[in-house]
Amino acid sequence: MSSIAVKSDFLDPEISAASRERIASLQLENLRETLKHCYKNNIFYKKRIDDSGLDPDRIKDLSEIEKLPFTSKEDLRRNYPFGLFCTPLSEVVRVHSSSGTTGNPTVVGYTGQDLDMWAHVLGRIMYDVGVRRDDIVQVSHGFGMFTGGFGFQFAAEKLGALVVPISGGNTERQLKIMSDFKSTVLCCTPSYTLHMAEVGEKLGIDFAKLHLRFGFLGAEPWTEPMRREIERRMHMIALNSYGLSEVIGPGVSCECLARSGLHINDDHFLTEIIDPETGKTLPAGTKGELVFTSLTKKAFPVLRYRTKDISYIYEDDCACGKTFIKMARPLGRSDDMLIIRGVNVFPSQIEEVLMKVEDLEPHYLIVLTKENYMDKIEVWVEVSEGVFHEKLMDLEAFEKSIESKLYSAIGIHIKVSLKEPRTIARSEGKAQRVLDKRQERN
Ligand code: ADP
Ligand code: ZN
């Protein structure tokens, strides 16, 4: 059997709890296979490997991968749609594409074996936290070109659970099904989960009486206070799930029940952290951009793919027993980083502050404008029901107190504008947190 073959059982203790040395040797073996596969089957990668002087058969250490240049989203776009595939199209059985949050979509492909691997690594994550055959998994991610829906569908199905492929949207129906079918697991974005909580509460649904056990929530940045809010309102354990279509989709990494970082599926994805400015590899524990190399994919392998996602990686002695390395909750993408008067700000840092203020709702929008050629940042945030009218007299004082909290946490003045409940648009997928009006003419 080739080393690229994937086992199909869900308990992989001999891998997920193996020593780091064992995992590194497996990674090295599969890295060689992947490089040979790319070299043989794709002209773009062949040239890159030739230019780097790397001989796949002679690689002795994982760090030698640093000789290879990075693959960027631009490389994917330039080779649109199938130029970076490494198998003939006759072997590709599915394509997906990124949701195009930051530009033109990029296309990724899977062979049957790739799909098996994907279902396996994501199913394994779900199994490890306790999802079993008798669970009812409601998949509220979009189905279609986005990887979220199908990713969870096949993983949960492979695990033997009953899957409800409801997709995103139609919130009242989501809630009816959640209640009637007694869904125990929810796969969704955190922002849409909160929207479900809000609509459900309005309809008089008592989430404590529903059957939700776990939420696998991701596809967008979110914060620890947001998790507490979701857990309190939905009565389930909310786990942070991370992935991107270029690497596979959901299943790249996810939290275990220890909820202290996301274990990366280390035997399939080699992770590096780089300085986004210089491209230099950074040591574990240092914040930078995540870079992934797939180790077992056939149709669309990636070599040193720059994600633009900001995080850091580390090893720890996790209570769950897994030895897979961890990544910290992603702060956001470097593209989403706002530079306001020289200070770098991620929307998630603003969220972190807002979510800790009592009487605010977890719905906000960051609005950027230009005034006298200067960037101005303002955040609109909803106050809780009742508070708006109750506090009408001193809304301004309330705004000022939030502004000073933001100032002490972030170091710049951000104007706060309190809004009435339910006036900021809700998301049924990935939330749009920033409205950039700087280019608009007045
Ligand atoms: P697009 O790049 O068009 O949004 P994808 O649908 O593949 O395409 O989305 C992947 C991206 O979503 C990741 O690169 C990351 O920026 C974001 N993302 C996914 N999961 C998380 C998460 N748990 N936390 C923060 N960001 C996430
Ligand atoms: Zn763990």
Side-chain angles (χ1 to χ4, degrees), residues 73 98-101 146 218-222 240-246 309 330 333 430:
K73 215 175 180 87
S98 80
S99 48
T101 314
F146 175 53
E220 63 184 8
W222 55 309
N240 195 349
S241 145
Y242 167 88
L244 65 165
S245 54
E246 294 85 351
D309 292 325
R333 316 181 196 234
K430 293 184 189 236

Side-chain angles (χ1 to χ4, degrees), residues 293-441:
T293 297
S294 65
L295 297 171
T296 53
K297 277 168 71 183
K298 288 288 195 187
F300 188 81
V302 280
L303 303 181
R304 304 195 85 203
Y305 181 70
R306 286 188 67 155
T307 62
K308 299 195 173 174
D309 292 325
I310 305 298
S311 178
Y312 58 91
I313 52 174
Y314 57 100
E315 287 178 25
D316 75 348
D317 206 359
C318 191
C320 79
K322 282 202 219 189
T323 48
F324 288 164
I325 58 162
K326 285 184 173 171
M327 54 180 257
R329 156 193 295 281
L331 195 59
R333 316 181 196 234
S334 49
D335 291 341
D336 293 340
M337 189 179 76
L338 311 167
I339 306 179
I340 307 291
R341 295 185 287 279
V343 178
N344 300 346
V345 190
F346 280 97
S348 61
Q349 290 172 285
I350 295 177
E351 175 181 304
E352 183 101 34
V353 175
L354 297 179
M355 292 301 97
K356 289 185 190 149
V357 180
E358 227 175 287
D359 293 334
L360 288 186
E361 288 298 304
H363 303 287
Y364 65 95
L365 184 69
I366 297 161
V367 184
L368 303 173
T369 47
K370 244 189 174 38
E371 207 176 79
N372 299 329
Y373 304 102
M374 291 275 288
D375 285 346
K376 240 187 91 193
I377 178 168
E378 179 172 341
V379 57
W380 298 354
V381 57
E382 289 180 15
V383 289
S384 309
E385 195 82 56
V387 174
F388 198 82
H389 297 288
E390 195 182 292
K391 285 205 174 176
L392 209 52
M393 298 308 289
D394 42 49
L395 272 188
E396 211 173 310
F398 192 23
E399 285 171 346
K400 289 277 168 290
S401 81
I402 304 166
E403 285 170 6
S404 92
K405 286 192 170 87
L406 285 165
Y407 187 80
S408 46
I410 300 171
I412 49 163
H413 184 76
I414 298 172
K415 186 175 162 21
V416 172
S417 183
L418 295 173
K419 301 285 172 195
E420 284 195 68
R422 284 180 297 281
T423 48
I424 292 173
R426 302 299 191 249
S427 105
E428 295 183 343
K430 293 184 189 236
Q432 195 67 44
R433 299 296 193 193
V434 180
L435 178 63
D436 193 344
K437 297 167 81 169
R438 286 175 297 185
Q439 305 303 328
E440 280 176 22
R441 282 155 158 251

Side-chain angles (χ1 to χ4, degrees), residues 241-262:
S241 145
Y242 167 88
L244 65 165
S245 54
E246 294 85 351
V247 177
I248 191 166
V252 175
S253 69
C254 188
E255 287 175 328
C256 61
L257 289 179
R259 289 185 292 167
S260 58
L262 294 76

Side-chain angles (χ1 to χ4, degrees), residues 25 46 103 290 313 365:
S25 99
K46 178 177 185 303
L290 284 163
I313 52 174
L365 184 69

Side-chain angles (χ1 to χ4, degrees), residues 158-171:
K158 186 155 185 169
L159 196 148
L162 187 162
V163 193
V164 186
I166 186 163
S167 193
N170 202 340
T171 311

